[in-house]
Amino acid sequence: MQESRRWLAALSLCALTAICSNALAAEEPDYTDVNAYILQAEMALQRNDYLEAVREYRKAAELSDNPDIARQATFTGMAFGFDDEALRSAKRWFELSNKSPEVRAVVAQLSLRTGDTRAAKREFSRLLEESEEPPGDKLLALTRFLAEEDDAAAVDKLVRALSRPYKNSPAAHRAAAMTALANDDYEHAAMRVQKAIELDPSDISLRLLYARTLLSAGKVDEAINYTARLVGDDPDPDPSARVELAIMYMMAERTDAALSQLSQVMLEQPQQWDALRLMGIINFHAGNLDSAWTDFSDLLDTGRHRMDALHYLGRIADIREETDNAIRFYSEVTHGSNALISQQRAAALLAHEKDDLKGAIRLLDDFAISSPPDAVDVLRVKGQLLASVDEHEEALKFYDKAIRYRPDEERIALARAELLLRMDRLDDAVLAYADAVERWPDSAMALNAYGYTLADRTDRFREAEKLIRRALKLEPDSAAIIDSMGWVLFKLGRHEEALAELERAYDRMSSVEGADEVAAHIIETLMALDRRDTALERLAEAEEQWPDSEFLEDVRERLFSESP
């Protein structure tokens, strides 16, 4: 199941459609309408109309008696993330394939994604019952795939139900512990893994899972002590235990101790590539860039964890302002969890540092072809890139297409609203933010964006304050929301209260992106309080830290035009 998704993601769409069209046409010479739908699907893919392509493949599947066409339609829908369409194709595949284990697993997975947990449970249960391997072991294998699903709570509930008949299976308890851990239910995770340990006390991986549960629950010292005993009490400790201990030391910011454990692993077993990868990550985050470069270069030479190695080598080159090397490494990260962010950064460097917008767009187009699961996100990234170079109308086209494909994705809706603001389409932006708050009423991000826009760009200050207070209740420690509260208080004329909130926000984000805007708000508030000298001092300090800030430039022009 998951291998099939990875297979599809790794293929060029051009090659994929060519192969499929030839094979399917050859198998069904009499099905003119089927081939017409397939041709329409291929044409839609060529113009990047992903939803239309998936629908056309599904129509072909519904008309055809060939299970291969239904299978292709299913995996195309899954690859691009159109799960409702994929499920319709999968059900047709199910009808045509004598209910094979592969299609049953796909129907179960898609049922879970589309909210039909009862159908998901039914099909997964049958998979376990009909499996040749022990049901608990099969459930554990399925759980590793289900861990990639977005709805951790639904997966947790499902796996608990599936594991219920297998009370004497350590693998089943382990599966339930893993999904509970992913769902942040640390108490249940600990209980289930302890039960697994009782059933199989010799399995070191179960004890390491228990340690990970302690760590996730915030019991860092307890987790370290537990794992250190596992290592210390064993005359020949398992390398995975040392690696796990190193992760815990890293979480506790005990970098030297973490590196010591990994060095010991590499000394005893030089081909422990997981340890080398982790060593590189620790060195990178500790600022040991030379050591991290060596670690990831060595890792790249082995061919293991290649995508991670390329990503971090790109980041190191980026930090060192070695732009050509950074682009080269980033652009080679074509799959895995770091692929999209790497391609996005490579495109940004091409556009902004090399003045090659066409090359940047071409890079993203090639990535979308090679990785269909990221294709819709690439539309959003193109929108962001084009907006960053003031190609607003083109950017809006990409955002509109991304929203058509992902109408329930909040971040795309908010990014589009922000673009409308930049285009000075205030009324449209306000409507877009209002719609976002209506659709996601418990989203601090949407509430804050809408509230700040009303405070900054309209005179609807009371309404803005209510929205921002709702956001602050949801995320009381968010510097961005605290800044918004300070700004709306400024707009309401409550300057002393505003200054207190703005200083509180600045203390939380003085060295991160967006802090220059908070500094500008503070300076403007100080001026409103007749504290001109202090305001000018703060402006000079901020300009030294952010010499190219548009916010600070605006404040100086409006409030200190006569000052040097």
Side-chain angles (χ1 to χ4, degrees), residues 231 237-247 261-262 264-265 268:
V231 172
D238 192 302
S240 61
R242 287 195 184 276
V243 171
E244 200 73 31
L245 184 56
I247 293 172
Q261 290 295 325
L262 295 172
Q264 188 65 34
V265 171
E268 296 171 356

Side-chain angles (χ1 to χ4, degrees), residues 35-200:
N35 289 328
Y37 283 130
I38 293 171
L39 179 60
Q40 289 298 318
E42 294 173 359
M43 293 170 62
L45 283 175
Q46 289 173 6
R47 63 177 183 269
N48 298 330
D49 193 343
Y50 308 125
L51 180 56
E52 184 65 19
V54 168
R55 285 173 174 164
E56 294 299 317
Y57 271 130
R58 187 257 302 160
K59 291 175 185 177
E62 290 175 341
L63 191 61
S64 171
D65 292 328
N66 185 341
D68 290 340
I69 293 179
R71 185 180 187 276
Q72 175 64 40
T74 300
F75 284 123
T76 302
M78 292 179 74
F80 289 107
F82 300 116
D83 294 328
D84 289 316
E85 290 287 336
L87 181 57
R88 292 176 65 177
S89 297
K91 287 179 177 178
R92 178 61 175 159
W93 179 20
F94 192 75
E95 294 171 3
L96 298 172
S97 66
N98 296 320
K99 303 176 183 178
S100 70
E102 181 188 22
V103 67
R104 190 182 294 281
V106 170
V107 169
Q109 184 181 27
L110 287 168
S111 296
L112 179 65
R113 289 183 183 179
T114 55
D116 191 350
T117 53
R118 180 175 296 182
K121 180 178 180 295
R122 180 179 65 248
E123 300 304 334
F124 277 127
S125 293
R126 289 180 180 173
L127 275 174
L128 298 179
E129 292 164 2
E130 296 171 5
S131 173
E132 295 181 359
E133 61 183 308
D137 293 348
K138 183 68 174 180
L139 176 58
L140 182 58
L142 288 173
T143 298
R144 292 193 172 101
F145 291 127
L146 290 173
E148 298 183 11
E149 297 298 315
D150 292 332
D151 192 342
V155 172
D156 184 20
K157 182 178 179 181
L158 173 67
V159 172
R160 290 190 199 192
L162 292 173
S163 68
R164 197 167 292 127
Y166 313 113
K167 299 186 186 319
N168 294 320
S169 167
H173 286 291
R174 178 176 182 171
M178 289 167 58
T179 56
L181 186 59
N183 192 35
D184 298 335
D185 188 343
Y186 308 125
E187 183 177 351
H188 188 79
M191 183 269 288
R192 296 301 290 265
V193 74
Q194 284 175 319
K195 181 64 177 176
I197 291 171
E198 290 175 13
L199 292 167
D200 188 2

